[in-house]
Amino acid sequence: MRYFFLVLFPYVAIFLQSTLFGFYSIKGTIPDLVLIFVVFFALLNKLNKGTAYGFFCGLLEDVYLGRFLGLNALAKGITAYIIGKIQGNLFKDNLVVGISAVFIGTLLNSFLLFLLSFFTIDASYIGVNILPSIFY
């Protein structure tokens, strides 16, 4: 049953991002629920599981959004890997740790997408405001 929900969460998150949250955007930026799931999963599980889940969720997002297959998968996988690397030193039951991890994960994911967009010659991500997505 646990694995069913782990597969269901990204689908629901992508659906909500593409439909409902479009109405609540700040400067065209919507919350990345998939990234929040990936960060919390990487924070609460082992390094390999978090990285694989991040890659899987990013791949689902790439398949749904189209354009470049693997861009979000790489960014979310690397983000989950780095969060999973840090998670061993943190006390995870603190609320501030979770909020800080999502903040750092959003910053890291945005930077990786920005960096990877140069390799794919996709200039559309370059103009995206990273600041509203971090605070959202």
Side-chain angles (χ1 to χ4, degrees):
M1 193 65 157
R2 176 180 185 226
Y3 295 110
F4 172 74
F5 284 114
L6 285 176
V7 172
L8 183 67
F9 282 152
Y11 284 110
V12 171
I14 292 170
F15 174 74
L16 288 174
Q17 281 176 212
S18 62
T19 57
L20 183 65
F21 288 152
F23 298 114
Y24 302 109
S25 65
I26 297 175
K27 291 189 176 187
T29 305
I30 57 173
D32 192 355
L33 294 177
V34 176
L35 180 64
I36 293 170
F37 287 141
V38 166
V39 167
F40 279 121
F41 188 82
L43 193 63
L44 296 174
N45 290 291
K46 295 182 180 180
L47 181 67
N48 294 339
K49 285 184 180 181
T51 305
Y53 189 67
F55 188 81
F56 169 73
C57 290
L59 197 59
L60 282 178
E61 207 168 17
D62 283 335
V63 167
Y64 180 75
L65 296 175
R67 295 207 319 217
F68 291 105
L69 192 64
L71 190 68
N72 281 314
L74 275 175
K76 284 186 176 40
I78 293 170
T79 302
Y81 177 80
I82 292 172
I83 295 292
K85 219 39 170 160
I86 311 172
Q87 66 94 11
N89 303 329
L90 299 174
F91 179 67
K92 299 170 203 88
D93 290 338
N94 192 347
L95 180 64
V96 176
V97 171
I99 293 171
S100 300
V102 170
F103 182 83
I104 291 168
T106 304
L107 184 65
L108 184 63
N109 188 59
S110 298
F111 176 72
L112 286 169
L113 283 173
F114 176 74
L115 188 65
L116 290 171
S117 68
F118 284 117
F119 294 116
T120 60
I121 312 169
D122 180 23
S124 66
Y125 192 79
I126 295 172
V128 173
N129 290 333
I130 295 173
L131 211 52
S133 66
I134 292 172
F135 289 108
Y136 212 138

